[in-house]
Amino acid sequence: MTHLLSVLVHTPAHSQVDGPLTYRSELALSPGVLVRVPLGKREILGVVWDAPECVASVLDPGKLRPIAGALDGIAPLSLAWRQLLTFAASYYQRSAGEVALAALPPQLRDLNTQQLARRLKRHAKPAEPDSDENRSAIDSLALTPEQTRAINQFDAETGPFLLFGSTGSGKTEVYLHCVQQLLAQDPSAQAMVMVPEINLTPQLEDRFMARFKPLYGDSAVVSLHSGMTPAQRLKSWLAAHSGRARIVLGTRMAVFASLPSLKLIIVDEEHDPSYKQQEGARYSARDLAVYRGRLEGAKVMLGSATPSLESWHHSRPACEGGRYVRLEMPSRIGSASLPLVRRVDMNHQPKKCVFSPPLLDAITQRIARGEQSMVFLNRRGYAPVLHCSDCDWKSECPHCSAFRVFHKIDRTLRCHHCGFTERVPRACPACGNPDIAPLGRGTEKLEEHLAELLAAVRRPNSVSPEWPEGEPVRIARIDADTTKLKGELESQLARVHSGEVDVLVGTQMIAKGHDFRRITLVAAVNPDSALFSSDFRAPERLFSLLMQAAGRAGRDADISGQSEMWVQTFHPKHALFEALKRHDYPAFAAQQLKEREQAAMPPFSFQALVRAEARTQEVAQGFLTRASAAVDEMPQAQSIRNNISLYPAVPMSIQRIANVERAQMLIESPSRAALQLFLTQWQAVLHATRHQPEGKGLIRWAVDVDPLAI
Ligand code: ADP
Ligand code: ZN
Ligand code: ZN
């Protein structure tokens, strides 16, 4: 008896193959079974897919190729998983094969059947039994009234939930509690905990490991993120898929993990832009988590001190149309209060000063008291651009419309977009002036500058505090450059935690998530540029970043007499800083949402971007313009025109990368459903446009649904 199987294989977005392929099989295999199938001369991984009704009758089974084999030993992927992947592919305008196969661990694709069988045998060890001794040792922390109220509400309702809690309000403790409660009640239940970037939040991972490994054994908690080796990822994936792992901790990719008994999904720092994938299928893991929760009947809890305006808007009262349940925890744990926000009006400070005298004084005083300060700058590198003061030459990249960054460490100019690197010229290439110097400041320069300013300051001597000489100030810098190697971030953070550092200088990397105990002063030295950005989300990001940064100060009630957040700005009266001063996210959100509503911006409208790449800007834009005009030839053109706005094609803000010109076109609609329907139908038009004169010379195009930056 021969069976016909629909099998999903990896088909890139622009290949002609769309949807599953049909194969023959001697065995009837149910949907979700992993198989190896021939494709051309290769043998590749596929997933038996839910067959479209018509396939069996149309095709001649004699012409079909047989599958090479099924991966027995791995249970079929569930219906809910297949539905999630089908939805993600269609919502983000990609092929199901591409999205589904990319969601599986790479080794599942790369290993042959024998190699896999060996892996499976090795990983199939039974979980260690958990001991009652350990179990009782855990429940020691008494919840605060706010935590208790949030948890009671979480238990009583179905959600989705938005846990809106200040930094240090004990959100992590709430996550731990909800997970623990679930696992204790239901012996097979699984929970997924998502974090923005695991290497930036090692403490959250540690806390979950520390809490649950003693309870359920070492293999009960697994991680899933891109920093792991392919072998580790396969191991974690199998543990989750087999149900052995009770908790999966992961970054955005984890949203596609297979968990047969998923009952709870937590998305920590839900506002973080890194939940949005920026290539291939540009999915939002946060949004998919909410969708997945509904599919699988799992509760979903999003958590943040500064929620995305989308989630905040969803959590408005139900009577106003809100769909999420808002859980509020406004207070910090213990007596630690939120830091006092101080705005320094830079209009009244010495010209060109980087550290205003009052800020410098404040840092000096903290040092004298043996407390730590943190200074952050939203930039990386030594100083972004090299500049000639005679002729105004700047270190532009010859291949991109971007400036190359001066890297002092190897004296190079590097393009952060295309990677083009050259040694720093001895003199200005335009006019020969030997006196070329960095423009603006990066963290490295900031660190150097601060070291000069604090050279005469002495910290109390750690051995004998009365000794008047004291010791020199210890400054440390944490940014992308100092943490390239594995383990460097951890070791640098450990130095900060142990008190070996007086002033920490860094990029926004240090502003996120870390539970610093001894920092009592945080300073943002130059936050203004985000106030007047062309990106309508820039103020939201800045506010969130400043609130997060403020949350790093005074986390330890014992030493925070009064912790402070300093903001140096030329616009101290700006509404954003007014709200920051009061730690008033709701006020900030209300003001922003009002502006967005008036301008019909998300969340009051829905957007997609089509991007096109070509050798010339004319070709890239011409392709988009033609595809846009072709809307009038589509069926129901009038109704599309009524519901959908297609804006003119424009060059992207980074217009050229590695000699490829990039253009984009914004598409907007007041209705998500209308936008979805249009995009799906318009795909055929885009494909067809490629083969018209306007498509000649086009390199590629892609759609970004719900783009984060425009
Ligand atoms: P958040 O995730 O909201 O920033 P955390 O969960 O990290 O806050 O809590 C901040 C600090 O307070 C942590 O050190 C945590 O161990 C402690 N903490 C949390 N809940 C309690 C509690 N109920 N009692 C005592 N300490 C707590
Ligand atoms: Zn010059
Ligand atoms: Zn470049």
Side-chain angles (χ1 to χ4, degrees):
M1 168 86 191
T2 299
H3 301 267
L4 295 186
L5 296 181
S6 282
V7 178
L8 207 57
V9 295
H10 180 92
T11 44
H14 296 306
S15 73
Q16 294 306 310
V17 189
D18 195 24
L21 305 176
T22 309
Y23 288 88
R24 272 192 297 127
S25 164
E26 297 309 312
L27 295 170
L29 298 174
S30 56
V33 171
L34 290 163
V35 289
R36 309 270 318 169
V37 294
L39 187 74
K41 289 195 169 61
R42 294 180 306 149
E43 185 187 296
I44 59 171
L45 181 72
V47 187
V48 179
W49 214 245
D50 309 79
E53 308 271 306
C54 56
V55 169
S57 57
V58 175
L59 294 164
D60 171 5
K63 289 206 181 119
L64 295 173
R65 300 175 76 178
I67 65 163
L71 303 185
D72 22 61
I74 302 181
L77 293 154
S78 69
L79 175 63
W81 189 87
R82 301 192 308 272
Q83 287 172 330
L84 174 70
L85 273 296
T86 304
F87 169 79
S90 99
Y91 187 84
Y92 294 105
Q93 305 291 318
R94 308 295 289 198
S95 78
E98 179 198 11
V99 180
L101 274 293
L104 296 170
Q107 281 204 335
L108 217 47
R109 299 195 296 265
D110 301 340
L111 297 183
N112 65 33
T113 319
Q114 292 82 11
Q115 292 169 317
L116 252 180
R118 250 176 282 141
R119 291 293 160 87
L120 287 176
K121 216 157 130 194
R122 201 186 314 153
H123 296 324
K125 276 182 264 136
E128 306 102 272
D130 31 273
S131 81
D132 290 337
E133 277 167 74
N134 288 338
R135 199 165 275 215
S136 54
I138 302 292
D139 283 348
S140 47
L141 207 64
L143 296 171
T144 64
E146 285 182 4
Q147 286 171 328
T148 306
R149 203 180 50 203
I151 290 165
N152 287 344
Q153 213 177 335
F154 173 81
D155 290 341
E157 303 188 43
T158 51
F161 301 89
L162 175 66
L163 178 60
F164 170 54
S166 313
T167 47
S169 63
K171 291 187 292 300
T172 310
E173 206 51 51
V174 170
Y175 305 150
L176 288 161
H177 188 95
C178 291
V179 170
Q180 189 168 352
Q181 181 175 284
L182 169 75
L183 300 197
Q185 279 162 8
D186 177 344
S188 67
Q190 294 176 294
M192 179 157 76
V193 180
M194 302 206 338
V195 293
E197 281 155 291
I198 225 147
N199 57 344
L200 297 190
T201 48
Q203 289 181 0
L204 188 120
E205 196 180 9
D206 291 349
R207 280 167 77 179
F208 270 84
M209 300 284 179
R211 177 77 54 101
F212 292 105
K213 281 190 167 174
L215 282 176
Y216 296 102
D218 283 357
S219 58
V221 193
V222 300
S223 302
L224 265 181
H225 55 85
S226 57
M228 297 163 63
T229 66
Q232 289 170 327
R233 265 173 74 179
L234 178 65
K235 189 176 172 195
S236 291
W237 188 89
L238 287 170
H241 179 61
S242 68
R244 259 179 296 130
R246 305 291 306 279
I247 301 170
V248 174
L249 280 169
T251 51
R252 61 173 178 263
M253 66 158 71
V255 78
F256 293 124
S258 162
L259 293 93
S261 309
L262 181 62
K263 294 290 177 326
L264 172 60
I265 307 176
I266 288 166
V267 184
D268 189 29
E269 308 289 0
E270 67 88 31
H271 62 278
D272 197 290
S274 72
Y275 282 118
K276 181 97 156 89
Q277 168 75 18
Q278 291 298 354
E279 57 192 40
R282 293 171 165 249
Y283 63 87
S284 156
R286 177 199 59 217
D287 296 351
L288 285 178
V290 173
Y291 185 88
R292 183 172 187 177
R294 210 167 50 215
L295 260 182
E296 310 223 24
K299 282 194 177 183
V300 177
M301 175 147 59
L302 314 177
S304 177
T306 52
S308 63
L309 288 175
E310 282 82 359
S311 298
W312 182 253
H313 187 60
H314 282 319
S315 72
R316 67 200 186 275
C319 60
E320 293 169 25
R323 299 189 288 111
Y324 296 0
V325 179
R326 190 184 294 168
L327 311 173
E328 302 195 39
M329 300 205 302
S331 319
R332 284 186 129 182
I333 296 285
S335 54
S337 56
L338 283 163
L340 178 70
V341 175
R342 312 193 66 138
R343 291 162 291 182
V344 181
D345 186 346
M346 295 304 276
N347 297 299
H348 300 141
Q349 300 302 321
K351 285 242 167 333
K352 287 190 174 173
C353 80
V354 180
F355 291 92
S356 60
L359 173 59
L360 212 53
D361 273 356
I363 293 176
T364 307
Q365 283 171 26
R366 300 279 157 175
I367 296 169
R369 295 214 295 267
E371 297 173 9
Q372 294 175 318
S373 299
M374 178 174 114
V375 174
F376 79 93
L377 192 68
N378 191 8
R379 262 208 220 126
R380 94 173 238 231
Y382 178 77
V385 175
L386 219 52
H387 177 235
C388 168
S389 51
D390 276 4
C391 75
D392 209 31
W393 170 86
K394 295 189 188 70
S395 53
E396 262 170 310
C397 174
H399 308 297
C400 305
S401 60
F403 293 107
R404 280 175 300 163
V405 172
F406 173 45
H407 285 251
K408 188 186 179 195
I409 214 151
D410 52 0
R411 296 206 52 87
T412 53
L413 288 175
R414 246 171 230 280
C415 175
H416 283 192
H417 298 285
C418 76
F420 179 70
T421 304
E422 268 182 343
R423 287 195 58 77
V424 167
R426 281 177 203 289
C428 170
C431 74
N433 169 22
D435 194 18
I436 47 177
L439 185 78
R441 275 160 205 279
T443 43
E444 193 176 348
K445 182 129 186 193
L446 203 67
E447 179 193 8
E448 276 181 13
H449 186 55
L450 191 62
E452 282 162 23
L453 294 171
L454 297 177
V457 175
R458 288 288 172 273
R459 57 184 301 278
N461 185 293
S462 43
V463 186
S464 60
E466 298 79 34
W467 193 40
E469 302 291 313
E471 294 168 3
V473 176
R474 300 157 310 174
I475 302 178
R477 172 168 61 96
I478 296 186
D479 60 23
D481 288 332
T482 67
T483 54
K484 273 201 204 93
L485 301 179
K486 203 173 160 65
E488 276 182 327
L489 178 62
E490 287 76 7
S491 66
Q492 291 177 22
L493 289 173
R495 284 183 53 219
V496 180
H497 290 307
S498 69
E500 287 168 47
V501 170
D502 302 309
V503 184
L504 175 61
V505 174
T507 52
Q508 64 210 64
M509 188 185 266
I510 57 174
K512 286 185 186 178
H514 305 292
D515 193 14
F516 295 120
R517 308 309 301 180
R518 313 158 67 101
I519 287 182
T520 60
L521 182 147
V522 172
V525 286
N526 184 16
D528 280 350
S529 60
L531 295 180
F532 308 100
S533 166
S534 58
D535 182 349
F536 69 87
R537 283 193 176 85
E540 178 182 349
R541 296 239 172 84
L542 176 64
F543 189 82
S544 153
L545 182 62
L546 294 176
M547 286 282 279
Q548 293 287 330
R552 300 310 113 213
R555 289 177 77 85
D556 199 330
D558 295 342
I559 59 169
S560 61
Q562 178 61 67
S563 58
E564 291 177 351
M565 161 98 202
W566 286 64
V567 177
Q568 298 191 144
T569 171
F570 288 94
H571 308 274
K573 290 278 176 283
H574 195 284
L576 188 150
F577 296 129
E578 297 280 354
L580 181 72
K581 176 145 187 75
R582 300 191 309 270
H583 303 281
D584 194 348
Y585 170 82
F588 170 75
Q591 176 260 329
Q592 282 286 308
L593 283 171
K594 204 165 115 204
E595 279 183 22
R596 299 256 190 110
E597 188 166 22
Q598 281 161 0
M601 296 279 205
F604 302 96
S605 68
F606 301 89
Q607 298 179 326
L609 276 182
V610 213
R611 301 199 172 91
E613 298 183 2
R615 284 285 166 221
T616 69
Q617 193 54 227
E618 291 68 42
V619 170
Q621 289 188 27
F623 167 79
L624 296 174
T625 306
R626 175 73 198 109
S628 172
V631 167
D632 291 323
E633 295 145 34
M634 289 169 70
Q636 276 119 39
Q638 195 50 52
S639 130
I640 293 174
R641 289 291 182 198
N642 290 342
N643 288 304
I644 310 282
S645 314
L646 290 109
Y647 290 88
V650 293
M652 287 179 60
S653 52
I654 310 287
Q655 181 177 332
R656 192 154 39 105
I657 291 187
N659 289 325
V660 172
E661 287 283 339
R662 312 177 334 141
Q664 67 180 31
M665 196 169 86
L666 179 64
I667 305 165
E668 213 171 60
S669 173
S671 152
R672 192 194 288 276
L675 181 62
Q676 271 294 304
L677 184 65
F678 167 69
L679 290 174
T680 306
Q681 294 170 342
W682 196 45
Q683 283 283 352
V685 174
L686 286 163
H687 278 287
T689 306
R690 189 168 201 169
H691 302 294
Q692 286 169 352
E694 290 88 348
K696 200 164 181 303
L698 183 79
I699 297 170
R700 63 176 81 83
W701 56 269
V703 180
D704 184 353
V705 181
D706 305 331
L708 274 192
I710 291 171

